[in-house]
Amino acid sequence: MSASPTSASTLRHALLANREQALTQLYHRAFPLVRRHVCRHGGSAQDAQDIFHDALVLLYEQAVGGTLVLTASASTYLVGIGRNLWHHERRRRARLPHETLPDDHLAQLASEPPALPEADVAVLDYVERLGEKCKRMLLAFYYFQQPLAQIAAAYGYGSVRSATVQKFKCLERLRQSVRAAFGVETLTH
């Protein structure tokens, strides 16, 4: 991958041929710019790393899925995604109440036994158990907030309705596995 604007198909080929090398090149080009932006706008180096990784995942999913359209270089695209993600993160943080934890907070946590040891299992663990197709679909819809029309095209469904039905089936399978694990009869949305 050169420093000049790269077509989406060239990027896709590079990612499929040698993912590690392509991602490393993108990281070296774009991460310093994202880090500088995040740090200048109230974030930490760790925030910048988290934002950049999210941007890289979005770029990778779009490139490999064939939905990426580049009008500039891939690194410029990553910086733009990073800026947008950081903007959304700052707005999200502004909405959250900010409370200072007492100095003995860690001691309190250590002395309190966990209420439900099984509850420590994250929902993503259950998503992983669904299978690759369901996992990718649910993450695309709920995490990456891709429209169902885009998901239908990316995963080869004949219509948006077919993608909607499959998403519902995947979500139901996820709900059933969580219910079974926790012995819950009904879960509300």
Side-chain angles (χ1 to χ4, degrees):
M1 291 183 342
S2 66
S4 64
T6 305
S7 73
S9 62
T10 304
L11 178 62
R12 183 175 190 269
H13 177 71
L15 288 168
L16 292 174
N18 190 344
R19 178 178 55 200
E20 185 176 340
Q21 179 184 6
L23 291 176
T24 300
Q25 287 178 354
L26 286 169
Y27 186 88
H28 287 299
R29 282 191 208 129
F31 178 66
L33 300 170
V34 172
R35 181 180 55 216
R36 182 173 48 216
H37 177 79
V38 169
C39 290
R40 283 185 178 171
H41 292 89
S44 67
Q46 182 61 49
D47 291 330
Q49 197 170 30
D50 292 343
I51 291 293
F52 186 78
H53 287 158
D54 289 347
L56 201 55
V57 167
L58 284 168
L59 174 80
Y60 178 82
E61 289 288 327
Q62 289 175 353
V64 172
T67 60
L68 179 66
V69 176
L70 288 177
T71 57
S73 70
S75 56
T76 301
Y77 187 75
L78 273 172
V79 171
I81 293 173
R83 286 175 177 230
N84 286 332
L85 289 174
W86 181 241
H87 174 72
H88 291 295
E89 178 63 18
R90 286 182 64 204
R91 283 195 325 200
R92 186 190 68 79
R93 288 180 182 183
R95 288 191 310 260
L96 294 176
H98 185 289
E99 296 179 19
T100 306
L101 296 175
D103 291 335
D104 63 341
H105 176 70
L106 290 177
Q108 288 175 350
L109 284 178
S111 66
E112 296 174 6
L116 290 172
E118 294 176 32
D120 292 342
V121 180
V123 171
L124 283 178
D125 291 338
Y126 291 99
V127 173
E128 288 291 333
R129 297 177 195 168
L130 288 177
E132 194 61 31
K133 192 170 187 176
C134 274
K135 177 179 93 171
R136 286 189 351 226
M137 175 175 269
L138 291 177
L139 288 175
F141 185 77
Y142 290 106
Y143 183 74
F144 296 116
Q145 298 176 346
Q146 292 178 348
L148 278 169
Q150 183 179 351
I151 293 170
Y155 297 107
Y157 291 103
S159 67
V160 173
R161 176 78 178 135
S162 298
T164 303
V165 169
Q166 186 58 43
K167 179 189 68 81
F168 178 77
K169 288 179 181 178
C170 290
L171 192 56
E172 278 305 303
R173 285 181 44 210
L174 176 63
R175 286 182 180 137
Q176 288 172 357
S177 63
V178 171
R179 285 180 188 132
F182 292 101
V184 177
E185 288 299 317
T186 58
L187 290 177
T188 58
H189 320 275

